[in-house]
Amino acid sequence: MLTIDRAIVDAIVAHARRDHPDEACGIVSGPVGADRPMRHIPMDNAARSMTFYEFDSMEQLRVWREMDDRDEEPVVIYHSHTATEAYPSRTDADLAGWPEAHYLLVSTRDPDTTQIRSFRIADGAVTEEPVQLVDGQHADDQRVADAAVDRNAVQSYLFGQTPTTVDYECRSAH
Amino acid sequence: MAINVRIPTILRSYTGGAKAVEGTGETLGDLLTNLDGSHPGLRDRLVTAGSLHRFVNVYVNDEDVRFLAPSGLTPLDVKLDDGDTVTILPAVAGGAADRAAAGGAGGPVPAGR
């Protein structure tokens, strides 16, 4: 299960809406081994494409070094699909190089509803997992605040009720 | 020549879990061949048909080897010096398009195939 602060998800969704119809991408880092996404880092999509994303290699090195210095790792790797559902494509599965990360997919296909789903991808095998949104104590990242300013960009989520925590059932069997 | 090589998590099965290993080589290609002697299989995850995989990033010190390659030569021809640090990071890439449409000659590193 992915447990993630609602404010970070809001920021990710805002990023995806902002870059629509191009795919948006980024990570959420957190302390090594803690499985806690804390710091939202939007990344450039070097491919600038509606159907493909790729981190810029030099930005990736800089961000990965920074994580090393802070004893962090990429807990969440996210990207958007802008004309299809939030499910990993064959490309996504083939190219997923970080089996310890949660792959969060955001679909901005529907202008009114944003779909968010999370997956583990290891050796090309895709396994969906539940997402639990929590409110509260988050993230020491100024970029979260920046990105979250555009509240209008944040639409209702597919699993969008509004209790403090929301679980939704995974569709795939483990 | 001792070159320090930083290994990403996904490839640590080849290094007994080590985050960094040492190798030698005049060029990146030599280094990877040398490493394959001590860590069999590692090179195949990075190189196919004599070329660095499209979706693997390799840096010498702070430079992407794709930008360091002399004109007319490939990233594997990049010269190394004693004390250099080579960092291997799987690219982070994907997208809705299937891979043929995306133009990627894929990288076995990520999926291990």
Side-chain angles (χ1 to χ4, degrees), chain A residues 23 51-55 57-58 60-61 64-65 68 77 79 81 84 89 91-92 94-100 123-124, chain B residues 6 8-10 54-55 57 59 61-62 64 67 87 89-99 102 107 110-111 113:
Chain A
E23 294 196 4
T51 55
F52 197 69
Y53 80 96
E54 183 170 19
F55 286 7
S57 67
M58 294 309 295
Q60 186 183 351
L61 179 66
W64 258 247
R65 286 269 164 83
D68 267 358
I77 294 174
H79 75 281
H81 285 176
T84 56
S89 65
T91 307
D92 291 330
D94 285 350
L95 298 185
W98 300 92
E100 66 277 28
D123 292 328
Chain B
R6 298 174 70 164
T9 319
I10 195 170
R54 163 77 177 79
F55 293 106
N57 296 328
Y59 309 86
N61 301 325
D62 288 331
D64 186 330
F67 304 143
T87 303
L89 288 183
V92 183
D98 72 33
R99 199 145 111 208
R113 286 172 277 166

Side-chain angles (χ1 to χ4, degrees), chain A residues 8-69:
Chain A
I8 293 177
V9 171
D10 285 352
I12 289 170
V13 170
H15 179 204
R17 287 288 175 193
R18 201 162 61 235
D19 285 7
H20 185 92
D22 283 351
E23 294 196 4
C25 56
I27 66 169
V28 187
S29 68
V32 169
D35 199 26
R36 263 195 314 150
M38 298 290 289
R39 198 162 62 93
H40 173 217
I41 307 173
M43 302 286 286
D44 283 341
N45 178 2
R48 298 197 188 289
S49 162
M50 296 187 283
T51 55
F52 197 69
Y53 80 96
E54 183 170 19
F55 286 7
D56 174 82
S57 67
M58 294 309 295
E59 183 181 32
Q60 186 183 351
L61 179 66
R62 183 176 57 72
V63 167
W64 258 247
R65 286 269 164 83
E66 189 178 276
M67 283 192 285
D68 267 358
D69 291 344

Side-chain angles (χ1 to χ4, degrees), chain A residues 143-156:
Chain A
R143 275 175 289 196
V144 168
D146 294 341
V149 167
D150 183 8
R151 295 296 303 184
N152 292 330
V154 179
Q155 317 290 330
S156 59

